[in-house]
């Protein structure tokens, strides 16, 4: 069920009314209702996915209790290993089986050894990468002693399948979200209003920004061989805002929906295109994933301890794994590799913790230095996004090659020029909204609140009606 669909427009108010007006006094019934609603929400795509998430839930619920009950460290490690094998095994099979088979066959064929592919028509369950990491954080934290194992199956199952963030995050930690199912939730008007504001802003990011960019991104990337440099640059920039509006929009709708139900989820985006270097970019982009890798992979590998060589190795591993997490394609792996390359110079000169304060703090506009830093970081991100968007590695390479060499004016694709002006104006408006509200979660705070809400609603109604509604990009991951 899509957040930007009529079905969800009906589903959410029904859930809200039952949850608060019928079940408010009964915490256990509220949690059971969340579980039922979440399974209905998830099963809307394909009911077969429910068996997989139920199996993963039962395995980690049982393993969590077993780890908690055991006093033998070797047994705890064995149980954690079972959880890792089951969860990563399921993720690996459904997401990467065909990738490994195809890569293996192609490698042998390139050496002159003829092999035939035997791949399966495997359906990738929606959101499997997200809820797999969410359940893994639970068993790891129980093993580390940071969290008591849950003894309430309904609460734990509702935590795993919590519908606002089930499909595309944020990837919640059990230490934050799971205890909230055990506490009585009281309706708070200010929390609900902030939730509605986040939903509205998320819909604007998705419907007005991302969906408006999408058809033109598709046209440019599908016909890049016939484009000039300017058109290809616009294609990369448009995709940067498409994926940001799409994913940040989903996260904001998820966080806002959770607040309507009395839950607080972690922030997932913090205006990443205002970053002054790649280290800051990854502190602001997909925060729930980057901090997950930091806590459960980077730090166990040694983190920033040890020699500079060890630090460089750990950073490279983190970014390569992050790329592979995003999809079974060499383009994603190279995307992660590129970000590692962009990050390494900052680490080598010990500047990776430099920009911790807010950009242009206390001033209306950034300094020329800050503007240059933000522009350079955005350019690096756009180059990497080409590999993220392209269907194959060689097509991404060719896209960038033509972008850097074909500076001629190509009249063949002149029909998009009018839209380019409108789209660029829309992006400027969007950036302005974010810049002047960068210290807040969303723009509907401070002066002119109702004017800004009205303006966003008007754009949603006018552009949203005629936009080509797209699935959320991160559903494929």
């Amino acid at each position: 069920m899509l957040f930007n669909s009529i079905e969800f427009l009906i589903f959410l108010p029904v859930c809200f009314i039952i949850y608060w007006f019928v079940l408010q006094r009964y915490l256990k019934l509220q949690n059971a209702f969340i579980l039922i609603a979440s399974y209905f929400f998830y099963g809307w795509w394909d009911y077969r996915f429910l068996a997989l998430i139920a199996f993963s839930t039962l395995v980690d619920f049982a393993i969590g209790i077993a780890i908690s009950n055991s006093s033998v460290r070797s047994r705890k490690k064995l149980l954690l290993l079972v959880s890792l094998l089951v969860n990563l095994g399921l993720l690996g099979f459904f997401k990467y089986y065909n990738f490994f088979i195809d890569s293996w066959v192609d490698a042998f064929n390139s050496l002159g050894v003829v092999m035939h592919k035997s791949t399966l028509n495997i359906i990738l369950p929606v959101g499997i990468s997200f809820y797999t990491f969410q359940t893994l954080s639970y068993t790891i934290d129980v093993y580390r002693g940071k969290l008591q194992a849950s003894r309430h199956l309904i609460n734990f199952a509702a935590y795993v399948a919590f519908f606002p963030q089930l499909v595309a995050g944020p990837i919640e930690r059990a230490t934050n979200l799971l205890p909230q199912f055990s506490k009585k939730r009281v309706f708070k008007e200010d929390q609900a209003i902030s939730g509605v504001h986040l939903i509205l802003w998320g819909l604007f990011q998705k419907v007005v920004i991302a969906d408006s960019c999408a058809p033109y991104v598709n046209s440019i990337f599908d016909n890049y061989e016939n484009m000039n440099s300017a058109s290809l640059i616009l294609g990369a920039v448009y995709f940067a805002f498409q994926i940001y509006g799409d994913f940040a929009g989903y996260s904001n709708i998820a966080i806002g929906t959770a607040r309507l139900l009395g839950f607080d989820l972690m922030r997932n985006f913090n205006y990443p295109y205002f970053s002054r270097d790649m280290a800051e970019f990854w502190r602001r982009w997909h925060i729930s994933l980057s901090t997950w890798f930091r806590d459960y992979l980077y730090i166990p590998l040694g983190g920033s301890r040890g020699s500079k060589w060890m630090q460089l190795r750990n950073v490279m591993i983190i970014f390569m794994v992050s790329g592979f997490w995003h999809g079974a394609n060499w383009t994603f792996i190279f995307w992660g590799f590129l970000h590692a390359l962009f990050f390494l110079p900052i680490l080598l000169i010990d500047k990776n913790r430099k920009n911790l304060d807010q950009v242009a703090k206390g001033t209306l506009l950034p300094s020329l230095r800050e503007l240059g830093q933000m522009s350079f970081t955005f350019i690096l991100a756009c180059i990497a996004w080409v590999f993220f968007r392209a269907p194959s590695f060689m097509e991404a390479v060719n896209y960038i090659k033509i972008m850097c060499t074909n500076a001629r004016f190509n009249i063949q694709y002149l029909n998009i020029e009018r839209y380019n002006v409108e789209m660029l104006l829309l992006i400027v408006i969007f950036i302005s909204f974010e810049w002047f509200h960068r210290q807040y979660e969303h723009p509907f705070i401070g002066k002119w609140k109702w004017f800004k809400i009205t303006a966003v609603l008007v754009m949603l109604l006018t552009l949203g009606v005629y936009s080509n509604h797209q699935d959320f990009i991160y559903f494929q991951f």
Side-chain angles (χ1 to χ4, degrees):
M1 189 181 300
L2 297 173
F3 280 163
N4 56 334
S5 66
I6 298 297
E7 292 85 358
F8 187 76
L9 186 63
I10 299 171
F11 172 80
L12 182 57
V14 170
C15 287
F16 181 85
I17 292 170
I18 295 174
Y19 182 83
W20 286 118
F21 293 93
V22 179
L23 304 175
Q24 183 174 2
R25 297 182 180 180
Y26 311 101
L27 179 61
K28 292 183 178 180
L29 290 179
Q30 277 187 326
N31 292 341
F33 175 72
I34 287 176
L35 178 60
I36 294 170
S38 297
Y39 271 55
F40 177 82
F41 176 87
Y42 192 56
W44 190 265
W45 277 284
D46 193 325
Y47 68 90
R48 292 173 294 180
F49 297 161
L50 295 175
L52 190 63
I53 193 172
F55 175 74
S56 181
T57 298
L58 291 172
V59 167
D60 285 309
F61 178 74
I63 288 177
I65 293 175
I67 291 175
S68 185
N69 289 340
S70 177
S71 58
V72 181
R73 186 168 180 81
S74 60
R75 178 175 170 79
K76 289 176 178 284
K77 284 186 176 180
L78 179 61
L79 289 166
L80 177 61
L81 180 61
V82 171
S83 175
L84 290 170
L85 290 175
V86 170
N87 285 286
L88 295 180
L90 289 172
L91 179 62
F93 175 75
F94 282 97
K95 191 167 183 177
Y96 302 108
Y97 174 83
N98 286 338
F99 170 77
F100 283 120
I101 293 295
D102 292 344
S103 298
W104 178 268
V105 171
D106 291 341
F108 273 92
N109 288 342
S110 66
L111 297 174
V113 180
V114 179
M115 297 186 69
H116 299 286
K117 298 179 181 179
S118 178
T119 55
L120 302 176
N121 185 23
I122 298 174
I123 300 174
L124 179 64
V126 176
I128 187 172
S129 297
F130 291 89
Y131 70 73
T132 296
F133 272 30
Q134 190 153 306
T135 56
L136 280 179
S137 76
Y138 167 76
T139 52
I140 294 172
D141 284 344
V142 170
Y143 170 79
R144 290 176 174 177
K146 292 184 176 181
L147 182 72
Q148 288 293 320
S150 175
R151 307 279 174 169
H152 303 281
L153 180 57
I154 298 297
N155 290 10
F156 181 74
Y159 152 75
V160 174
F162 191 44
F163 75 86
Q165 45 81 233
L166 168 63
V167 176
I171 303 170
E172 269 299 335
R173 307 298 178 82
T175 50
N176 176 48
L177 182 56
L178 186 55
Q180 295 184 54
F181 284 95
S182 301
K183 298 176 182 177
K184 182 175 177 58
R185 296 176 289 275
V186 179
F187 179 79
K188 299 176 182 177
E189 184 178 348
D190 58 340
Q191 186 183 36
I193 291 174
S194 70
V196 172
H197 286 165
L198 278 170
I199 292 172
L200 179 60
W201 182 240
L203 286 171
F204 175 84
Q205 289 175 306
K206 166 60 178 171
V207 176
V208 176
I209 302 301
D211 287 355
S212 294
C213 288
Y216 297 90
V217 169
N218 295 339
S219 296
I220 293 172
F221 272 82
D222 291 344
N223 300 278
Y224 72 91
E225 301 97 332
N226 303 317
M227 300 289 170
N228 57 50
S229 297
S231 296
L232 296 185
I233 290 171
L234 283 175
V237 170
Y238 287 165
F239 180 68
F241 283 96
Q242 180 196 357
I243 194 169
Y244 172 49
D246 193 283
F247 194 20
Y250 187 96
S251 295
N252 283 329
I253 297 170
I255 296 168
T257 301
R259 286 187 186 176
L260 286 178
L261 301 176
F263 290 86
D264 286 315
L265 303 182
M266 72 180 298
R267 189 173 185 177
N268 211 19
F269 287 85
N270 185 16
Y271 308 115
Y273 291 150
F274 299 147
S275 302
R276 290 154 290 183
D277 57 49
M278 269 301 160
E280 185 180 12
F281 179 84
W282 280 102
R283 286 193 292 271
R284 292 172 174 269
W285 178 278
H286 202 172
I287 300 168
S288 64
L289 180 67
S290 58
T291 54
W292 198 100
F293 279 123
R294 179 198 66 195
D295 295 341
Y296 298 111
L297 186 57
Y298 181 70
I299 292 176
L301 284 172
S304 299
R305 303 185 301 274
S307 65
K308 187 65 70 175
W309 164 251
M310 296 290 286
Q311 294 178 38
L312 296 175
R313 181 206 66 177
N314 295 341
V315 166
M316 185 63 71
I317 291 174
I318 289 298
F319 279 108
M320 295 287 281
V321 173
S322 175
F324 197 45
W325 177 89
H326 279 87
N329 194 320
W330 289 107
T331 55
F332 297 116
I333 297 174
F334 192 77
W335 171 79
F337 175 72
L338 269 182
H339 275 279
L341 290 182
F342 297 153
F343 190 93
L344 292 184
I346 306 171
L347 183 63
L348 284 171
I349 60 176
D350 294 320
K351 297 293 186 180
N352 54 303
R353 304 291 295 174
K354 178 183 178 182
N355 293 314
L356 297 176
D357 60 329
Q358 188 181 89
V359 62
K361 187 176 181 180
T363 62
L364 181 64
L365 298 174
S367 65
L368 289 177
R369 178 183 177 85
E370 288 175 323
L371 184 61
Q373 291 172 331
M374 288 189 294
S375 299
F376 182 67
T377 303
F378 180 71
I379 290 170
L380 293 180
C382 286
I383 293 171
W385 284 134
V386 171
F387 287 89
F388 196 94
R389 171 59 178 76
S392 70
F393 177 79
M394 286 310 303
E395 289 192 58
V397 172
N398 291 333
Y399 186 104
I400 292 177
K401 180 181 178 181
I402 297 173
M403 183 174 68
C404 295
T405 58
N406 185 14
R408 295 172 299 151
F409 178 74
N410 188 346
I411 199 169
Q412 181 176 352
Y413 216 71
L414 188 61
N415 59 333
I416 70 167
E417 296 304 319
R418 177 176 173 270
Y419 183 84
N420 284 339
V421 176
E422 296 172 357
M423 192 69 243
L424 288 172
L425 178 60
L426 188 60
I427 288 175
V428 168
I429 293 172
F430 175 57
I431 294 174
S432 300
F433 261 101
E434 294 208 327
W435 175 260
F436 292 113
H437 300 85
R438 62 192 182 280
Q439 70 270 37
Y440 305 118
E441 279 187 307
H442 54 77
F444 309 128
I445 296 175
K447 297 180 179 179
W448 306 96
K449 180 177 71 174
W450 288 109
F451 172 79
K452 289 178 286 188
I453 290 175
T454 302
V456 166
L457 283 173
V458 169
M459 283 188 278
L460 266 174
L461 292 174
T462 53
L463 294 178
V465 168
Y466 299 103
S467 68
N468 182 16
H469 295 289
Q470 307 281 324
D471 286 351
F472 287 88
I473 293 174
Y474 266 67
F475 283 8
Q476 62 186 291
F477 307 131

